Amino acid sequence: MRFFISRRANINRLLTIACALIASVTGLSSSALAQAGSIRGRVVEAGSGRGVSDVQVSVDGTQRIAITDAGGSFVFSNLLSGPQTVRVRRLGFAPTSRVVEVPPGGRATADFTLAQTSISLDEIVVTGVPSATSRRTLGNAITVLDASGEVAKTATNSVAELLQARAPGVTVLQSSGDAGTSGTVRIRGIGSLTGASSPVVYVDGVRIASASAGSFNNSWRTPNSSLSVRQGGHGQDASLLSNINPEDIESIEVIKGPAAATLYGADAANGVIQIITKRGRAGEQKQQWRARVQSGQSNWSLDKRPSYSTCTAARIAAGPSAWPGCQGVAPGTVLSFTTLDKPGVLRGGNVGEVSLSVTGGGQGYSYFSAVTQNKEQGVLNNSDYDIKSARANFAFNPTERVDYSVNVSYSQSNTRFPMGGDGGNLLGSAWTFVPGRALATGQEEGFSGGGSAGGFSVYDNRLRTDRVIAGSTINVNPTSWFHNRLTVGADLSNGLAIRYLAPFSLFSTEGQMTQGEPRNSVYTVDYAGTITGKLPMANSLTSALSFGTQYTNSQYRNTLSQGANFASASVRDINLAAVHGGWSEFVDIKSLGLFAQEQVGWQDKLFVTGALRVDNSSVFGDDVKQLYYPKLSASYIISDESFFQGRRWLDKLKLRAAWGQAGNAPDPFAAVRSYTLVVSVDANGNRVPALVPASLGNPNVKPERGNEIELGFDAEAAGGRAGAEFTFYNKTTNDALMLVPNQPSTGFPGGTYQNIGKINNRGVELMLTAIPIQRNGFSWESRLGFSHNANKLVKFGYNQSELLIGVTTYNQRNVEGYPLGGFWVHDPVPDGAGGFTAGPARFLGAADPTREASFGNTFTFLRDFRLYGLLDYKGGFFLTNQTDWSRCVAGVCKEVNDPSVPAATVAMLTADLSVNDALYTQPADFIKLRDLSLSYDLPRAFVERFGGQRGALQVAAHNVAILWTKGYEGLDPEVNFSGTNGPTSYWNLSRIDLWSLPNTRRFTVSLDLAF
């Protein structure tokens, strides 16, 4: 009994202490605590009435913050009775507030309706600025993509798909329909002839590797030491960007050129993409679990291209031993055969995803954790992609002056590539099969060259990548006017790449195996400090002085071994090959930058910013010590001026202008003079080692310098229901790197990189957003994007008239005054002997899209249904249709078997591609229905019956249909036989459709539950 009384006394004492602590934190006395009340409410979307999750709800005069759950509900307890001002805000919605009367000891109900807004000038961004900054202060354009919202209404599998047709000025072309392969991502055109053309990518402030993951390209070419895995080649590859799980992403910020990217220095001339992952929000809330299950298929959705042949009198007379299919038919009969219709040639590739995540937090902390598995089979039997990922993000706010976050992710991806590229693959064999002709020994009907569906499936090219991205950011504010941010992190990936050709197979009689272990590591240390205050000369002028440093260390290393001549297909040990060897690749780049920035504001409506960054890097030439990159911008909220008031049709208008410079680093070995070790034979016949010149190197080499001017405006009208963003840019790459041939007198072969060229890109970008209808139970959201880019090689800088690019024909050229990689074609001219010869080369057009547009619409109806569609237009460019040329040369295309086609036309169509490439280089303009989905929110009462908060069913499709092409006669004008993104690749500018697998349609059904 004594123990029970003692324990009860202790409990009472603890309760008393707890009440005292609560009172001290909330400001309530013990008597007030007894009279405290609560607020419970729900936040819904205007028009549709759907609950809005992750809304921040706060109470004025306190530090109390709550976060709405998946159904939009929130609750505050132990609030002081009486009137309380409650405010709600969320990205993409207009903030609102109301006064709520809290009854003593009772509960008040406060429901809110949030209206969506097209543009928010008070939106906080973190990319291209020293610290988190309001968008109203920026003089440059920045695109902020609500990634979590886009993923929720689409069947998106990668970051590239998430960016596709959603950010004006960002060009994403998916080069192939092979599962797990990457596309090309470029911002505002190509600014380099020999260097990188892709943007720099950050995840939560940590720089990551985003180029090739280290796979062997799936072309016929044999990997070797001169065909670097890092630099790529033609064929498709996997990108490290694909390892980022779209389900984990909260938002994506894109700055598009040197005018905005100055603070990123010598690597950012091609733009910067910042991926911000989910991390929860601090505040009173329930722990929220979310489970998602998705299943579907990828299917071939286009024509399957029959092969044709004509039974001539000669073929009929040849008899059944030569042309069995032509026996018993009349001369002139046209036979056809569609190989891809044969069972087992193509498949419906299964698609599946399972994910589970948890989000939560409290006063001063938040967390997000998730695990996901995603599987996708391609339509070819040896095309597969499987990725497993896990993420844990934590944020702590122990005091008002300190907050700290930790972000860790792990992923393991496995990709298997079918043979693709420019020859020796299933499509090439299927589409050159000659119907009616006798089959050769071992040849399967429907395939040429001894091919078979099973034979092509033997090709084994795969890549496994294990990756960890970890980062931590701490913000310290020792005073109200001094803010410090420090980010440290690393991106570490280890791969295993295998390319195996079985002996006695279609691809090799002896057998060959190549194995590599690509490893990428990127380390980041980034500090920025900002001092804010008012300038002494005028109270209306504010100052934000920032300074900082950024250090990155990027390493790539790969050890490769290769064996040939295997005794059996069951042997895959390189050591057991009759011939084996190896080589290695290593790159180590260290960069250090320092910057200072001053921003002066006037009455919170005019902001002028100036910055300077100084850089040094291990890839600079020995004679280059440091480089400087300046920046100047202005932002003017003209709608805040008194003379602008009263314009009811326009709510907000921001004018902006920016100028800045940034670099594009040279090849890591551009400055290095190197020699190659070879084995020679001396006068006595002895084998001795010797050094021979390899590369001359340039001690003065430095990054290409991007110089850009931006002018534009952001506008909002109709109470936030309509908005416009417009930007004009003029970007010039000065000191463009050119590979200048070495003089024979140097003794060095090849060429040397020199900063002597000049390239220009200029264009416009426009984004229109609107909510035309927002009524009870129905809403319509619309987004229209447009961009135009004109690319031009201004000068080589040395005695060079043109540089040629091509495979069978050099019909792409770099010529001063024309676009990089532009098409220069030849018209076939009769030679007087029944044949044709090539006419003079003439410029046809650009190889990359010069015009792009997108049109996305979301319709919410009957409150619980949502229909979403996205149209994607790309135009003003061309593509060499080498697939159709190859078919006509093989005699199986429809035109050469059409009796109404004159013999002269047939001869013209089957001439060498160097003679008739004008016929096969065709407009690649297209309009695609990129995404289509229908979602249904399950009844709330039904979901709550099973302990849930929200449930949704969705039917979605990606790459739904090609609605229009301008004149392309192939299947898919988006593809390219070279899908690699590696810099200094010969194929970086190429645009050729040569047996390329068209993009497939992906159809999925998913169930999403929150509880």
Side-chain angles (χ1 to χ4, degrees):
M1 176 67 71
R2 184 179 304 148
F3 171 76
F4 174 76
I5 294 174
S6 174
R7 186 174 64 177
R8 185 172 63 182
N10 287 336
I11 292 174
N12 289 337
R13 187 177 299 112
L14 289 173
L15 289 174
T16 302
I17 294 172
C19 291
L21 288 173
I22 293 173
S24 65
V25 173
T26 62
L28 301 177
S29 64
S30 58
S31 60
L33 184 61
Q35 298 298 315
S38 63
I39 298 176
R40 183 181 297 272
R42 187 165 183 251
V43 181
V44 300
E45 181 184 67
S48 69
R50 297 156 57 101
V52 183
S53 63
D54 296 326
V55 177
Q56 186 182 80
V57 187
S58 60
V59 180
D60 283 5
T62 73
Q63 298 180 18
R64 304 288 297 278
I65 297 175
I67 305 299
T68 60
D69 61 21
S73 299
F74 69 93
V75 62
F76 286 108
S77 58
N78 297 322
L79 284 174
L80 186 66
S81 59
Q84 298 283 2
T85 301
V86 181
R87 300 184 183 276
V88 297
R89 56 173 60 98
R90 190 187 190 281
L91 177 66
F93 294 86
T96 187
S97 64
R98 59 179 288 193
V99 176
V100 180
E101 186 67 31
V102 180
R107 185 178 71 186
T109 299
D111 294 334
F112 293 85
T113 299
L114 288 184
Q116 290 186 315
T117 58
S118 54
I119 296 176
S120 176
L121 295 183
D122 296 320
E123 181 180 6
I124 301 300
V125 297
V126 297
T127 307
V129 292
S131 59
T133 303
S134 171
R135 187 169 178 166
R136 69 189 293 115
T137 68
L138 300 182
N140 56 267
I142 181 169
T143 295
V144 181
L145 179 64
D146 179 10
S148 61
E150 294 295 327
V151 170
K153 55 189 179 185
T154 58
T156 301
N157 274 5
S158 68
V159 173
E161 289 183 4
L162 189 55
L163 289 168
Q164 201 167 43
R166 291 178 173 90
V170 180
T171 301
V172 180
L173 290 172
Q174 185 62 41
S175 304
S176 168
D178 294 329
T181 56
S182 60
T184 56
V185 180
R186 290 168 179 158
I187 299 178
R188 291 182 178 173
I190 302 175
S192 178
L193 186 60
T194 62
S197 58
S198 300
V200 173
V201 181
Y202 285 78
V203 174
D204 297 322
V206 176
R207 182 166 175 177
I208 68 168
S210 58
S212 173
S215 60
F216 298 112
N217 296 317
N218 62 339
S219 68
W220 56 269
R221 293 195 170 202
T222 299
N224 56 71
S225 58
S226 63
L227 185 64
S228 167
V229 173
R230 181 183 66 86
Q231 294 181 347
H234 51 71
Q236 309 301 323
D237 68 3
S239 167
L240 286 169
L241 188 60
S242 300
N243 289 81
I244 309 298
N245 182 10
E247 291 279 349
D248 293 345
I249 302 175
E250 180 72 26
S251 62
I252 298 178
E253 297 180 359
V254 182
I255 54 177
K256 302 174 184 178
T262 298
L263 296 189
Y264 293 97
D267 287 323
N270 296 314
V272 177
I273 295 175
Q274 174 95 252
I275 297 172
I276 301 166
T277 61
K278 298 175 181 176
R279 63 193 61 204
R281 290 173 173 81
E284 300 175 32
Q285 59 193 290
K286 297 178 182 178
Q287 188 178 69
Q288 298 182 48
W289 290 84
R290 178 174 175 255
R292 177 180 171 89
V293 179
Q294 177 179 275
S295 181
Q297 273 200 342
S298 288
N299 291 288
W300 184 289
S301 60
L302 301 172
D303 179 57
K304 294 180 179 177
R305 312 302 296 275
S307 293
Y308 300 91
S309 65
T310 303
C311 290
T312 63
R315 290 176 175 178
I316 295 172
S321 61
W323 287 90
C326 286
Q327 304 309 302
V329 300
T333 299
V334 177
L335 306 179
S336 67
F337 191 91
T338 306
T339 304
L340 300 189
D341 276 337
K342 288 186 60 177
V345 177
L346 298 179
R347 67 179 177 181
N350 294 326
V351 175
E353 178 186 308
V354 178
S355 65
L356 179 66
S357 66
V358 59
T359 307
Q363 298 300 330
Y365 72 95
S366 64
Y367 57 87
F368 170 82
S369 184
V371 291
T372 303
Q373 181 174 22
N374 193 311
K375 292 186 176 182
E376 180 181 2
Q377 293 179 330
V379 297
L380 300 180
N381 293 314
N382 55 344
S383 174
D384 298 281
Y385 179 64
D386 175 15
I387 181 168
K388 305 176 185 70
S389 65
R391 172 171 293 278
N393 291 350
F394 301 93
F396 307 92
N397 186 198
T399 72
E400 293 183 6
R401 300 185 184 277
V402 178
D403 65 77
Y404 177 69
S405 65
V406 178
N407 310 298
V408 181
S409 70
Y410 167 77
S411 65
Q412 181 189 94
S413 63
N414 291 276
T415 310
R416 189 179 181 197
F417 307 87
M419 176 67 86
D422 61 350
N425 66 355
L426 184 145
L427 295 183
S429 179
W431 286 345
T432 54
F433 172 70
V434 182
R437 188 164 59 185
L439 300 177
T441 303
Q443 181 183 1
E444 179 182 333
E445 186 178 25
F447 295 92
S448 65
S452 66
F456 285 106
S457 297
V458 172
Y459 176 79
D460 192 3
N461 184 347
R462 61 184 68 209
L463 172 71
R464 168 177 165 165
T465 302
D466 291 271
R467 187 180 197 182
V468 173
I469 302 176
S472 179
T473 297
I474 183 170
N475 292 282
V476 180
N477 307 311
T479 68
S480 60
W481 47 268
F482 189 19
H483 172 77
N484 297 270
R485 174 190 55 77
L486 175 65
T487 298
V488 295
D491 172 19
L492 309 173
S493 66
N494 293 304
L496 176 62
I498 296 175
R499 182 180 183 268
Y500 174 69
L501 307 180
F504 316 110
S505 68
L506 287 174
F507 309 101
S508 175
T509 57
E510 298 178 343
Q512 184 191 78
M513 182 174 177
T514 311
Q515 180 173 308
E517 297 180 354
R519 288 182 287 170
N520 287 277
S521 60
V522 183
Y523 300 93
T524 301
V525 179
D526 188 350
Y527 165 78
T530 301
I531 299 173
T532 60
K534 293 185 179 294
L535 294 178
M537 65 283 295
N539 287 331
S540 59
L541 294 178
T542 59
S543 168
L545 174 63
S546 301
F547 47 87
T549 183
Q550 188 179 75
Y551 170 80
T552 59
N553 180 8
S554 301
Q555 290 186 354
Y556 164 81
R557 58 180 75 225
N558 198 356
T559 302
L560 302 102
S561 56
Q562 188 174 84
N565 199 345
F566 289 93
S568 167
S570 62
V571 177
R572 290 201 178 193
D573 188 338
I574 291 178
N575 290 323
L576 300 179
V579 180
H580 48 77
W583 68 97
S584 62
E585 301 172 346
F586 177 68
V587 177
D588 186 7
I589 303 174
K590 297 179 175 68
S591 300
L592 177 66
L594 305 171
F595 74 88
Q597 174 177 293
E598 170 65 20
Q599 182 179 92
V600 176
W602 178 64
Q603 295 185 351
D604 199 36
K605 58 187 175 184
L606 176 63
F607 302 89
V608 178
T609 304
L612 181 67
R613 170 158 172 149
V614 57
D615 264 66
N616 203 344
S617 173
S618 59
V619 300
F620 295 0
D622 291 340
D623 296 341
V624 180
K625 303 306 179 184
Q626 65 271 327
L627 295 172
Y628 297 91
Y629 298 102
K631 168 186 174 180
L632 184 64
S633 68
S635 170
Y636 182 26
I637 318 299
I638 193 173
S639 56
D640 285 353
E641 295 288 0
S642 57
F643 61 78
F644 209 87
Q645 305 302 315
R647 289 173 168 80
R648 297 181 179 179
W649 57 274
L650 188 61
D651 303 326
K652 296 178 182 178
L653 177 61
K654 182 181 87 168
L655 306 179
R656 47 182 167 79
W659 165 80
Q661 296 182 347
N664 189 27
D667 182 85
F669 301 104
V672 178
R673 177 169 295 186
S674 64
Y675 298 84
T676 299
L677 183 66
V678 298
V679 176
S680 182
V681 178
D682 63 14
N684 298 321
N686 299 316
R687 293 167 58 87
V688 294
L691 289 176
V692 298
S695 63
L696 180 61
N698 179 5
N700 294 305
V701 73
K702 57 187 177 182
E704 300 170 314
R705 181 175 292 266
N707 184 90
E708 184 179 50
I709 296 175
E710 270 191 15
L711 300 172
F713 67 83
D714 302 332
E716 188 176 291
R721 291 174 56 179
E725 300 176 40
F726 174 80
T727 302
F728 164 79
Y729 63 88
N730 189 351
K731 180 175 69 172
T732 300
T733 303
N734 296 307
D735 299 329
L737 286 162
M738 299 292 165
L739 189 60
V740 181
N742 293 325
Q743 295 295 325
S745 59
T746 65
F748 284 85
T752 301
Y753 290 103
Q754 297 185 25
N755 296 97
I756 54 177
K758 187 174 183 179
I759 300 166
N760 180 259
N761 287 274
R762 70 171 63 191
V764 296
E765 298 162 354
L766 176 66
M767 174 66 81
L768 301 176
T769 54
I771 308 173
I773 301 175
Q774 197 171 58
R775 297 175 181 171
N776 186 29
F778 182 83
S779 66
W780 171 23
E781 307 160 37
S782 187
R783 180 180 60 200
L784 175 65
F786 174 80
S787 63
H788 178 270
N789 179 75
N791 172 267
K792 181 172 67 174
L793 171 62
V794 179
K795 66 174 183 178
F796 282 111
Y798 68 106
N799 186 23
Q800 182 70 42
S801 60
E802 60 186 13
L803 292 175
L804 307 181
I805 304 171
V807 183
T808 306
T809 176
Y810 293 102
N811 66 336
Q812 285 185 257
R813 304 183 181 189
N814 295 309
V815 180
E816 291 182 351
Y818 293 90
L820 293 177
F823 281 104
W824 293 74
V825 298
H826 307 81
D827 295 296
V829 178
D831 60 5
F836 290 85
T837 186
R842 61 179 175 86
F843 176 69
L844 183 64
D848 280 336
T850 59
R851 301 183 302 273
E852 298 185 57
S854 63
F855 188 40
N857 291 275
T858 303
F859 299 93
T860 303
F861 56 97
L862 299 178
R863 182 165 294 187
D864 296 324
F865 291 88
R866 182 173 61 187
L867 178 65
Y868 172 76
L870 177 64
L871 295 174
D872 183 8
Y873 161 76
K874 290 179 172 58
F877 69 121
F878 292 81
L879 176 66
T880 297
N881 184 0
Q882 197 161 333
T883 294
D884 279 3
W885 172 80
S886 300
R887 282 166 50 82
C888 287
V889 170
V892 298
C893 70
K894 187 174 183 178
E895 292 79 3
V896 301
N897 290 281
D898 186 344
S900 65
V901 175
T905 302
V906 172
M908 183 170 59
L909 291 172
T910 55
D912 190 84
L913 190 59
S914 61
V915 172
N916 65 3
D917 53 14
L919 303 178
Y920 292 99
T921 304
Q922 299 161 353
D925 304 41
F926 66 81
I927 297 176
K928 288 188 177 184
L929 180 54
R930 187 68 71 179
D931 287 294
L932 185 66
S933 68
L934 177 64
S935 304
Y936 169 61
D937 278 0
L938 299 174
R940 191 178 179 196
F942 174 78
V943 175
E944 290 177 346
R945 185 183 307 171
F946 298 95
Q949 297 173 354
R950 179 180 176 271
L953 286 170
Q954 183 185 86
V955 178
H958 181 68
N959 286 328
V960 185
I962 301 176
L963 303 180
W964 170 85
T965 61
K966 187 175 182 180
Y968 189 68
E969 297 176 4
L971 293 182
D972 187 353
E974 188 175 4
V975 301
N976 189 4
F977 89 124
S978 174
T980 60
N981 283 293
T984 70
S985 168
Y986 175 81
W987 310 107
N988 204 28
L989 301 173
S990 70
R991 289 281 298 156
I992 303 172
D993 178 0
L994 182 51
W995 312 128
S996 304
L997 185 75
N999 285 290
T1000 56
R1001 178 189 296 147
R1002 185 168 63 243
F1003 177 83
T1004 59
V1005 178
S1006 63
L1007 173 63
D1008 200 329
L1009 294 174
F1011 50 94

